[in-house]
Amino acid sequence: MIPLVKPYMAPREELMPAIEDVLYSGYIAEGEAAWRFEDGLKDFLGNPNILAVQSGTAALHLALLLLNVESGDEVISTPMTSEPTNTAIAITGAKVVWADVDPNTGLLDPESVRKKITERTKAIMLVHYAGMVCDMDEFHKISDETGIPIIEDAAHALGAKYQGKMIGSNSRFTCFSFQAIKHMTTVDGGAIAFSDSNDATPARKLRWFGLDKKVSRLENDIARAGYKYGINNLTGIIGQIQLKHAPEVISKYISNGKYYDEALKGISGVKLVPYYEHTEPSYWLYTMKVEDRENFIKMMAGIGVTASPLHHRSDTHSVFAESRCDLPNMEEWYSKYVHIPCGWWVDEETIGRIVEAIKRGW
């Protein structure tokens, strides 16, 4: 079966010697290799204010901690995401407030968000789901008008763009994941990017128990307890090598996605997802809406290709019971959306076979 997701790893002859060098160097905790990866991310994303962390979840949690989100507060979020987006909110004690999605894209709807804002709203958590970028023009208007900060969950959106610039410097916080199946993996790992350099210093301390890693431990003082959210040198060296290949790998996702955008136009039973003005997706998954999704998935399996909705809507989990509400657009979207393989492993023959099968119907 052609998988929906598949990790890319740099060639063995390039990656393994670098890993061995770190493993037997005598220094495998956070150090130069980790910091060089962090510097590489800064160059890649075009933002000097970036911290590498051990997961995308850690990045989300740090953003919430910097906003002092706690019990009694509310964070507006989307149910159309992987679970960590919203469990990161839950562990602060704050209430997740669900806004509805745009039924054409599955992305958080700015107008629904406006209606959910209260005096207790501390942040808006939006997700660039499957590599598609939210309507940032409208979200920035909301943030500017209300003063409510935006946290961008860009776990699916490495290499996506807004106004011609890579996602990673538009909002106060942008959080990335380098978990196993993302555009670029460090096995596990993540990063948090800041639009304001003043957020980076307290975040750096919260990343390491509340200590400043750049200052001798004997001279440190913990003013606010933090977490063990830093990366180690092994993660760092994997990240350095992987980052060299990231442009080429991401470009393959994008070229496949653009091919689908053109080849699947006008097919009966298929509704393509529109992309918002000033945005460019990075197509971590190719997403569309189909009629009779169950039979579509069976048809794809019949030609040896995985198709799936992949994610379980977050608002149905018991941990969010008090937040449940009517989300009619989400109901409509969730019943029809599906993903097909789009990544670096989908070659020209495979993508042609997928398109022809869809054209034949199901």
Side-chain angles (χ1 to χ4, degrees):
M1 290 284 283
I2 303 297
L4 195 58
V5 291
K6 185 176 181 179
Y8 173 85
M9 298 305 297
R12 178 185 298 272
E13 61 272 17
E14 184 179 357
L15 185 58
M16 296 310 294
I19 289 175
E20 287 188 3
D21 284 347
V22 168
L23 282 176
Y24 297 101
S25 68
Y27 200 108
I28 57 176
E30 182 185 344
E32 288 297 328
W35 300 330
R36 284 197 295 271
F37 171 52
E38 199 168 80
D39 288 341
L41 284 173
K42 294 173 184 178
D43 291 340
F44 182 76
L45 295 171
N47 183 349
N49 305 306
I50 290 175
L51 295 177
V53 292
Q54 65 179 223
S55 67
T57 308
L60 294 168
H61 190 209
L62 284 175
L64 293 162
L65 290 171
L66 289 168
L67 294 174
N68 297 309
V69 174
E70 59 188 7
S71 180
D73 294 331
E74 296 176 350
V75 177
I76 298 173
S77 187
T78 173
M80 191 62 246
T81 185
S82 183
E83 289 80 3
T85 304
N86 294 308
T87 56
I89 300 169
I91 62 177
T92 69
K95 180 182 178 181
V96 176
V97 174
W98 304 117
D100 212 344
V101 301
D102 179 336
N104 297 309
T105 66
L107 301 178
L108 198 61
D109 176 24
E111 287 310 306
S112 179
V113 169
R114 282 185 183 275
K115 295 173 184 176
K116 298 298 179 87
I117 293 172
T118 73
E119 69 277 2
R120 294 185 295 278
T121 305
K122 275 297 226 11
I124 298 166
M125 182 83 82
L126 56 82
V127 177
H128 301 311
Y129 183 80
M132 301 180 291
V133 180
C134 292
D135 187 353
M136 297 309 300
D137 287 352
E138 289 302 313
F139 278 113
H140 284 314
K141 287 179 186 176
I142 293 172
S143 184
D144 290 345
E145 291 167 9
T146 64
I148 298 170
I150 290 170
I151 303 171
E152 296 182 44
D153 182 340
H156 296 180
L158 187 66
K161 293 181 179 180
Y162 171 61
Q163 292 187 336
K165 294 174 57 180
M166 279 200 191
I167 293 296
S169 56
N170 301 301
S171 301
R172 186 169 172 184
F173 306 105
T174 307
C175 301
F176 295 93
S177 170
F178 309 129
Q179 180 263 349
I181 58 175
K182 300 302 191 294
H183 284 100
M184 185 190 79
T185 181
T186 58
V187 182
D188 253 324
I192 179 168
F194 312 94
S195 61
D196 186 345
S197 61
N198 291 323
D199 285 320
T201 298
R204 188 175 290 110
K205 291 182 178 181
L206 287 171
R207 178 178 69 171
W208 191 253
F209 308 119
L211 296 166
D212 187 340
K213 187 79 172 177
K214 301 285 186 177
V215 175
S216 164
R217 219 161 185 157
L218 299 177
E219 300 171 13
N220 252 299
D221 175 59
I222 295 176
R224 181 181 182 182
Y227 297 78
K228 193 175 187 299
Y229 279 170
I231 65 169
N232 56 56
N233 276 350
L234 188 59
T235 301
I237 197 63
I238 294 172
Q240 285 183 55
I241 304 299
Q242 292 284 82
L243 198 53
K244 293 178 184 178
H245 297 269
E248 180 183 357
V249 173
I250 293 171
S251 71
K252 183 63 175 174
Y253 283 86
I254 293 172
S255 63
N256 280 343
K258 288 183 175 179
Y259 181 88
Y260 282 134
D261 284 341
E262 293 300 318
L264 297 176
K265 283 180 178 177
I267 297 176
S268 178
V270 173
K271 185 174 182 181
L272 299 183
V273 173
Y275 308 121
Y276 296 112
E277 192 173 6
H278 305 138
T279 74
E280 299 173 47
S282 57
Y283 299 94
W284 180 59
L285 301 164
Y286 192 80
T287 310
M288 56 188 179
K289 295 169 73 175
V290 296
E291 299 297 330
D292 193 4
R293 183 174 63 191
E294 184 177 350
N295 277 329
F296 177 88
I297 292 171
K298 288 179 180 177
M299 178 275 290
M300 294 294 284
I303 65 163
V305 175
T306 304
S308 171
L310 193 62
H311 287 103
H312 179 88
R313 56 184 289 179
S314 286
D315 58 330
T316 60
H317 288 294
S318 298
V319 69
F320 303 121
E322 70 164 326
S323 298
R324 285 180 185 158
C325 61
D326 290 332
L327 300 170
N329 291 347
M330 182 63 185
E331 294 288 345
E332 199 277 332
W333 166 263
Y334 195 71
S335 67
K336 294 182 178 180
Y337 87 99
V338 72
H339 305 300
I340 56 177
C342 189
W344 59 271
W345 62 97
V346 182
D347 59 22
E348 188 174 333
E349 184 276 331
T350 300
I351 201 169
R353 182 157 54 90
I354 290 171
V355 169
E356 288 308 309
I358 295 172
K359 286 180 176 178
R360 288 195 299 268
W362 54 95

